[in-house]
Amino acid sequence: MKSYLMFAAVLLCLTFTHAGYASSDDSDPELKQAVKQIDKNLAKWELVEAQHLLDEMLPRYPDSAELALVHGKFLYVNEPRQFAKAIAEFDRAEQLGLRDPELYFYRASAKSQPTESYLKKQHPDYAGALDDFHQAQQRHSKRDLRFNIVDVLYEDGKYQQALAAVDNLIYDSPRNMLIYDFYITRGNIQAQLGQHDEALQSYRVAEKQYHYLDKLHLFKAVSLLALDRTEDALTAVNEGLSKPKGHNKRQLYYVRGMIHYQRHEFAEAFTDFSDSWKYAQQWALPLLGCYNSIMQTDLNITPDRFLDLALKLDPNVVLHFNQQDLLKL
């Protein structure tokens, strides 16, 4: 699942909330108007316009906490994502005296994302993210941050705490518009705890709303595989691949490749691993799957080129192939 819920939540929740001004710069009427306009640009996804205004105002108001906050938001959402630089701007806003709950919300969201490339294995600062979400709550954030906190606990591997938190959230907010998202996350947490029958029950509830999501069929397949229900897992994967607007085809092809590999259907496994790699050519695992599959067949294909490229992309890929978390591919 990674941190896609956290990132999506931020994109959906760009607001114009400000709790006051932290420095003399922030009392300037021209600056106040500029900050308001940048926030509007971000909310409307007018990133070029936001950047032009930031380029104009940042040199003129280097000590503006409010400007540092909106600059951090811009760095968070603009491509390429610059999470480390966004965190630095949020830190600067805090150092300049800003205590807006939105600062802590955005900084927590940035901390929950990787600040370096995948290959460098730089893990997100989940402890810092959790602390900032709590800071935002203590400062009476208008947002309900309980689901954000569940997601951070899940990504940090604190599954028992995450399960208790999501259960409380479901119990307290049964009519919440995100209730089926809660159940997907609950299922993923249960799967990580080895409670795969319970996970499948949670996914069945979520399916009432999200039957069209290919990722839900992916999650079902992972739990079905863990229960040795291989045929059912294959059916779930095929259902996921049949969804016309799916965004998880690389993972689904990879899992189907794993199913074929476990069944000693190595030619079919090679085809699926190849299809998986086509969707993410910087991802080493499918290449190792191709290599292992070819080594078990008489296909007239040179296997070493797959292994060489896999090791070039990720020297630790051999470990990952046997220690992977299919829920978090």
Side-chain angles (χ1 to χ4, degrees), residues 154 157-160 163 185-203 219-220 222-229 325-328:
Y154 170 80
K158 296 178 179 177
Y159 301 126
Q160 290 289 359
L163 183 59
T185 299
R186 184 174 187 253
N188 290 345
I189 296 167
Q190 290 167 324
Q192 296 290 3
L193 290 168
Q195 302 171 6
H196 292 286
D197 284 315
E198 294 85 348
L200 289 170
Q201 293 176 19
S202 294
Y203 296 144
F219 298 151
K220 287 170 55 181
V222 172
S223 282
L224 289 165
L225 270 179
L227 295 169
D228 293 323
R229 294 169 57 182
D325 182 347
L326 293 177
L327 284 171
K328 296 185 177 182

Short mmCIF file of all heavy atoms in Angstrom, two decimals, residues 154 157-160 163 185-203 219-220 222-229 325-328:
data_model
loop_
_atom_site.label_atom_id
_atom_site.label_comp_id
_atom_site.label_asym_id
_atom_site.label_seq_id
_atom_site.Cartn_x
_atom_site.Cartn_y
_atom_site.Cartn_z
N TYR A 154 0.53 1.70 10.23
CA TYR A 154 0.61 0.55 9.33
C TYR A 154 1.93 0.53 8.57
O TYR A 154 2.63 -0.48 8.53
CB TYR A 154 -0.57 0.59 8.34
CG TYR A 154 -0.44 -0.43 7.21
CD1 TYR A 154 -0.78 -1.76 7.42
CD2 TYR A 154 0.03 -0.05 5.95
CE1 TYR A 154 -0.66 -2.69 6.40
CE2 TYR A 154 0.16 -0.97 4.94
CZ TYR A 154 -0.19 -2.29 5.16
OH TYR A 154 -0.06 -3.20 4.15
N GLY A 157 4.91 -0.56 10.43
CA GLY A 157 4.93 -1.94 10.90
C GLY A 157 4.38 -2.13 12.30
O GLY A 157 4.54 -3.21 12.89
N LYS A 158 3.70 -1.13 12.84
CA LYS A 158 3.09 -1.26 14.17
C LYS A 158 1.65 -1.73 13.99
O LYS A 158 0.68 -0.99 14.20
CB LYS A 158 3.17 0.08 14.90
CG LYS A 158 4.62 0.52 15.15
CD LYS A 158 4.71 1.87 15.83
CE LYS A 158 6.17 2.25 16.09
NZ LYS A 158 6.31 3.60 16.68
N TYR A 159 1.52 -2.99 13.59
CA TYR A 159 0.25 -3.50 13.11
C TYR A 159 -0.81 -3.64 14.21
O TYR A 159 -1.99 -3.37 13.98
CB TYR A 159 0.47 -4.85 12.41
CG TYR A 159 1.40 -4.74 11.23
CD1 TYR A 159 2.52 -5.56 11.13
CD2 TYR A 159 1.18 -3.80 10.22
CE1 TYR A 159 3.39 -5.45 10.04
CE2 TYR A 159 2.05 -3.68 9.14
CZ TYR A 159 3.15 -4.51 9.07
OH TYR A 159 4.01 -4.40 8.01
N GLN A 160 -0.41 -4.05 15.40
CA GLN A 160 -1.40 -4.17 16.48
C GLN A 160 -1.98 -2.81 16.84
O GLN A 160 -3.20 -2.68 17.02
CB GLN A 160 -0.77 -4.83 17.71
CG GLN A 160 -0.44 -6.31 17.55
CD GLN A 160 -1.68 -7.20 17.51
OE1 GLN A 160 -2.81 -6.72 17.62
NE2 GLN A 160 -1.48 -8.49 17.35
N LEU A 163 -4.27 -1.75 14.00
CA LEU A 163 -5.55 -2.47 13.99
C LEU A 163 -6.49 -1.92 15.05
O LEU A 163 -7.68 -1.70 14.79
CB LEU A 163 -5.31 -3.96 14.21
CG LEU A 163 -6.56 -4.84 14.15
CD1 LEU A 163 -7.25 -4.73 12.79
CD2 LEU A 163 -6.19 -6.30 14.44
N THR A 185 -7.92 -0.87 4.50
CA THR A 185 -6.74 -0.76 5.37
C THR A 185 -6.80 -1.79 6.48
O THR A 185 -5.78 -2.42 6.82
CB THR A 185 -6.65 0.66 5.95
OG1 THR A 185 -6.52 1.60 4.89
CG2 THR A 185 -5.46 0.79 6.89
N ARG A 186 -7.98 -2.00 7.03
CA ARG A 186 -8.13 -3.02 8.09
C ARG A 186 -7.73 -4.40 7.56
O ARG A 186 -7.04 -5.16 8.23
CB ARG A 186 -9.58 -3.03 8.58
CG ARG A 186 -9.85 -3.97 9.75
CD ARG A 186 -11.29 -3.77 10.22
NE ARG A 186 -11.59 -4.51 11.43
CZ ARG A 186 -12.36 -5.60 11.46
NH1 ARG A 186 -12.87 -6.08 10.33
NH2 ARG A 186 -12.62 -6.20 12.60
N GLY A 187 -8.17 -4.71 6.34
CA GLY A 187 -7.81 -5.99 5.75
C GLY A 187 -6.31 -6.12 5.57
O GLY A 187 -5.72 -7.19 5.85
N ASN A 188 -5.65 -5.06 5.12
CA ASN A 188 -4.20 -5.11 4.94
C ASN A 188 -3.47 -5.31 6.26
O ASN A 188 -2.48 -6.04 6.33
CB ASN A 188 -3.72 -3.83 4.26
CG ASN A 188 -4.13 -3.75 2.80
OD1 ASN A 188 -4.54 -4.74 2.20
ND2 ASN A 188 -4.03 -2.57 2.23
N ILE A 189 -3.96 -4.65 7.29
CA ILE A 189 -3.34 -4.81 8.62
C ILE A 189 -3.53 -6.25 9.09
O ILE A 189 -2.58 -6.88 9.59
CB ILE A 189 -3.95 -3.82 9.63
CG1 ILE A 189 -3.65 -2.37 9.21
CG2 ILE A 189 -3.41 -4.09 11.02
CD1 ILE A 189 -4.47 -1.34 9.97
N GLN A 190 -4.73 -6.78 8.96
CA GLN A 190 -4.99 -8.16 9.38
C GLN A 190 -4.11 -9.14 8.60
O GLN A 190 -3.60 -10.11 9.17
CB GLN A 190 -6.47 -8.48 9.20
CG GLN A 190 -7.36 -7.73 10.17
CD GLN A 190 -8.83 -7.79 9.80
OE1 GLN A 190 -9.18 -7.78 8.62
NE2 GLN A 190 -9.70 -7.87 10.79
N ALA A 191 -3.93 -8.87 7.30
CA ALA A 191 -3.07 -9.74 6.50
C ALA A 191 -1.64 -9.72 7.02
O ALA A 191 -0.97 -10.76 7.10
CB ALA A 191 -3.12 -9.33 5.04
N GLN A 192 -1.15 -8.53 7.40
CA GLN A 192 0.22 -8.45 7.93
C GLN A 192 0.35 -9.20 9.25
O GLN A 192 1.43 -9.69 9.58
CB GLN A 192 0.61 -6.98 8.13
CG GLN A 192 0.68 -6.17 6.85
CD GLN A 192 1.84 -6.55 5.95
OE1 GLN A 192 2.58 -7.48 6.24
NE2 GLN A 192 2.00 -5.84 4.85
N LEU A 193 -0.74 -9.31 9.98
CA LEU A 193 -0.74 -10.04 11.24
C LEU A 193 -0.98 -11.53 11.03
O LEU A 193 -1.06 -12.29 12.00
CB LEU A 193 -1.79 -9.46 12.19
CG LEU A 193 -1.49 -8.06 12.74
CD1 LEU A 193 -2.72 -7.48 13.42
CD2 LEU A 193 -0.32 -8.12 13.72
N GLY A 194 -1.12 -11.95 9.76
CA GLY A 194 -1.38 -13.35 9.47
C GLY A 194 -2.83 -13.76 9.64
O GLY A 194 -3.16 -14.95 9.59
N GLN A 195 -3.71 -12.79 9.82
CA GLN A 195 -5.15 -13.07 10.01
C GLN A 195 -5.85 -13.00 8.65
O GLN A 195 -6.67 -12.13 8.38
CB GLN A 195 -5.73 -12.05 10.99
CG GLN A 195 -5.06 -12.04 12.35
CD GLN A 195 -5.51 -10.88 13.23
OE1 GLN A 195 -6.43 -10.13 12.89
NE2 GLN A 195 -4.87 -10.71 14.37
N HIS A 196 -5.53 -13.94 7.77
CA HIS A 196 -5.96 -13.82 6.39
C HIS A 196 -7.45 -14.10 6.20
O HIS A 196 -8.08 -13.50 5.33
CB HIS A 196 -5.12 -14.74 5.50
CG HIS A 196 -3.70 -14.28 5.40
ND1 HIS A 196 -3.32 -13.19 4.65
CD2 HIS A 196 -2.57 -14.75 6.00
CE1 HIS A 196 -2.02 -13.00 4.76
NE2 HIS A 196 -1.53 -13.93 5.57
N ASP A 197 -8.04 -14.97 7.00
CA ASP A 197 -9.49 -15.17 6.90
C ASP A 197 -10.22 -13.88 7.28
O ASP A 197 -11.18 -13.48 6.62
CB ASP A 197 -9.93 -16.32 7.82
CG ASP A 197 -9.59 -17.69 7.24
OD1 ASP A 197 -9.85 -17.90 6.03
OD2 ASP A 197 -9.07 -18.54 7.98
N GLU A 198 -9.75 -13.24 8.35
CA GLU A 198 -10.36 -11.98 8.77
C GLU A 198 -10.12 -10.89 7.73
O GLU A 198 -11.00 -10.05 7.48
CB GLU A 198 -9.79 -11.55 10.12
CG GLU A 198 -10.14 -12.46 11.29
CD GLU A 198 -9.20 -13.65 11.43
OE1 GLU A 198 -8.40 -13.91 10.49
OE2 GLU A 198 -9.26 -14.32 12.48
N ALA A 199 -8.93 -10.90 7.13
CA ALA A 199 -8.63 -9.91 6.08
C ALA A 199 -9.61 -10.05 4.92
O ALA A 199 -10.13 -9.05 4.40
CB ALA A 199 -7.20 -10.09 5.58
N LEU A 200 -9.89 -11.28 4.52
CA LEU A 200 -10.82 -11.50 3.41
C LEU A 200 -12.22 -11.00 3.76
O LEU A 200 -12.94 -10.48 2.89
CB LEU A 200 -10.85 -12.98 3.03
CG LEU A 200 -9.58 -13.49 2.33
CD1 LEU A 200 -9.60 -15.01 2.23
CD2 LEU A 200 -9.42 -12.87 0.95
N GLN A 201 -12.60 -11.13 5.03
CA GLN A 201 -13.90 -10.59 5.46
C GLN A 201 -13.91 -9.07 5.32
O GLN A 201 -14.91 -8.49 4.87
CB GLN A 201 -14.18 -11.00 6.91
CG GLN A 201 -14.41 -12.49 7.10
CD GLN A 201 -14.58 -12.87 8.56
OE1 GLN A 201 -14.87 -12.02 9.41
NE2 GLN A 201 -14.39 -14.14 8.87
N SER A 202 -12.82 -8.42 5.70
CA SER A 202 -12.75 -6.96 5.56
C SER A 202 -12.80 -6.56 4.09
O SER A 202 -13.48 -5.59 3.72
CB SER A 202 -11.46 -6.44 6.20
OG SER A 202 -11.47 -6.63 7.60
N TYR A 203 -12.10 -7.28 3.24
CA TYR A 203 -12.11 -6.97 1.81
C TYR A 203 -13.51 -7.16 1.21
O TYR A 203 -13.90 -6.41 0.31
CB TYR A 203 -11.10 -7.84 1.06
CG TYR A 203 -9.66 -7.61 1.44
CD1 TYR A 203 -8.76 -8.68 1.48
CD2 TYR A 203 -9.18 -6.33 1.75
CE1 TYR A 203 -7.43 -8.48 1.83
CE2 TYR A 203 -7.86 -6.14 2.10
CZ TYR A 203 -6.98 -7.22 2.15
OH TYR A 203 -5.67 -7.02 2.48
N PHE A 219 -5.09 -7.41 -3.27
CA PHE A 219 -5.00 -7.70 -1.84
C PHE A 219 -5.68 -9.03 -1.50
O PHE A 219 -5.17 -9.82 -0.70
CB PHE A 219 -5.64 -6.57 -1.02
CG PHE A 219 -4.98 -5.23 -1.19
CD1 PHE A 219 -5.71 -4.06 -1.05
CD2 PHE A 219 -3.63 -5.13 -1.48
CE1 PHE A 219 -5.11 -2.81 -1.19
CE2 PHE A 219 -3.01 -3.89 -1.63
CZ PHE A 219 -3.76 -2.73 -1.48
N LYS A 220 -6.84 -9.28 -2.12
CA LYS A 220 -7.52 -10.56 -1.91
C LYS A 220 -6.63 -11.72 -2.34
O LYS A 220 -6.54 -12.74 -1.65
CB LYS A 220 -8.84 -10.58 -2.69
CG LYS A 220 -9.94 -9.73 -2.11
CD LYS A 220 -11.12 -9.61 -3.06
CE LYS A 220 -11.68 -10.94 -3.48
NZ LYS A 220 -12.83 -10.79 -4.42
N VAL A 222 -3.42 -11.94 -2.42
CA VAL A 222 -2.32 -12.16 -1.49
C VAL A 222 -2.78 -12.99 -0.30
O VAL A 222 -2.11 -13.95 0.11
CB VAL A 222 -1.73 -10.81 -1.03
CG1 VAL A 222 -0.72 -11.02 0.09
CG2 VAL A 222 -1.08 -10.09 -2.20
N SER A 223 -3.94 -12.66 0.26
CA SER A 223 -4.44 -13.44 1.40
C SER A 223 -4.85 -14.84 0.98
O SER A 223 -4.64 -15.82 1.71
CB SER A 223 -5.62 -12.71 2.05
OG SER A 223 -5.17 -11.65 2.86
N LEU A 224 -5.44 -14.98 -0.20
CA LEU A 224 -5.81 -16.30 -0.69
C LEU A 224 -4.58 -17.18 -0.91
O LEU A 224 -4.60 -18.37 -0.60
CB LEU A 224 -6.61 -16.17 -1.98
CG LEU A 224 -8.03 -15.59 -1.81
CD1 LEU A 224 -8.60 -15.15 -3.16
CD2 LEU A 224 -8.95 -16.63 -1.16
N LEU A 225 -3.51 -16.58 -1.41
CA LEU A 225 -2.25 -17.32 -1.56
C LEU A 225 -1.73 -17.79 -0.21
O LEU A 225 -1.26 -18.92 -0.07
CB LEU A 225 -1.21 -16.45 -2.25
CG LEU A 225 -1.12 -16.48 -3.77
CD1 LEU A 225 -0.04 -15.53 -4.25
CD2 LEU A 225 -0.85 -17.89 -4.27
N ALA A 226 -1.80 -16.92 0.79
CA ALA A 226 -1.32 -17.27 2.12
C ALA A 226 -2.11 -18.42 2.71
O ALA A 226 -1.60 -19.17 3.54
CB ALA A 226 -1.38 -16.05 3.03
N LEU A 227 -3.37 -18.56 2.30
CA LEU A 227 -4.23 -19.65 2.77
C LEU A 227 -4.15 -20.87 1.87
O LEU A 227 -4.96 -21.80 2.02
CB LEU A 227 -5.69 -19.15 2.86
CG LEU A 227 -5.95 -18.05 3.89
CD1 LEU A 227 -7.35 -17.46 3.70
CD2 LEU A 227 -5.81 -18.60 5.31
N ASP A 228 -3.21 -20.87 0.92
CA ASP A 228 -3.02 -21.97 -0.03
C ASP A 228 -4.24 -22.19 -0.91
O ASP A 228 -4.45 -23.29 -1.42
CB ASP A 228 -2.66 -23.28 0.70
CG ASP A 228 -1.29 -23.20 1.36
OD1 ASP A 228 -0.38 -22.58 0.77
OD2 ASP A 228 -1.14 -23.76 2.46
N ARG A 229 -5.01 -21.15 -1.12
CA ARG A 229 -6.16 -21.22 -2.04
C ARG A 229 -5.70 -20.66 -3.39
O ARG A 229 -6.11 -19.59 -3.82
CB ARG A 229 -7.34 -20.45 -1.46
CG ARG A 229 -7.90 -21.08 -0.18
CD ARG A 229 -8.89 -20.18 0.54
NE ARG A 229 -10.01 -19.80 -0.32
CZ ARG A 229 -11.00 -18.98 0.06
NH1 ARG A 229 -10.99 -18.49 1.30
NH2 ARG A 229 -11.97 -18.66 -0.75
N ASP A 325 7.19 -8.36 0.51
CA ASP A 325 5.86 -8.15 1.09
C ASP A 325 4.92 -7.86 -0.06
O ASP A 325 4.90 -6.77 -0.61
CB ASP A 325 5.92 -6.97 2.07
CG ASP A 325 4.60 -6.71 2.76
OD1 ASP A 325 3.58 -7.28 2.32
OD2 ASP A 325 4.59 -5.95 3.75
N LEU A 326 4.13 -8.85 -0.46
CA LEU A 326 3.29 -8.71 -1.64
C LEU A 326 2.25 -7.61 -1.48
O LEU A 326 1.78 -7.03 -2.47
CB LEU A 326 2.60 -10.04 -1.97
CG LEU A 326 3.52 -11.17 -2.43
CD1 LEU A 326 2.71 -12.44 -2.66
CD2 LEU A 326 4.28 -10.80 -3.69
N LEU A 327 1.89 -7.30 -0.25
CA LEU A 327 0.92 -6.22 -0.04
C LEU A 327 1.52 -4.85 -0.33
O LEU A 327 0.79 -3.90 -0.57
CB LEU A 327 0.41 -6.23 1.40
CG LEU A 327 -0.61 -7.30 1.76
CD1 LEU A 327 -0.83 -7.32 3.26
CD2 LEU A 327 -1.92 -7.07 1.04
N LYS A 328 2.84 -4.75 -0.29
CA LYS A 328 3.49 -3.45 -0.42
C LYS A 328 4.42 -3.40 -1.63
O LYS A 328 5.37 -2.62 -1.64
CB LYS A 328 4.27 -3.11 0.86
CG LYS A 328 3.37 -2.97 2.07
CD LYS A 328 4.14 -2.52 3.30
CE LYS A 328 3.22 -2.31 4.48
NZ LYS A 328 3.93 -1.83 5.67
#
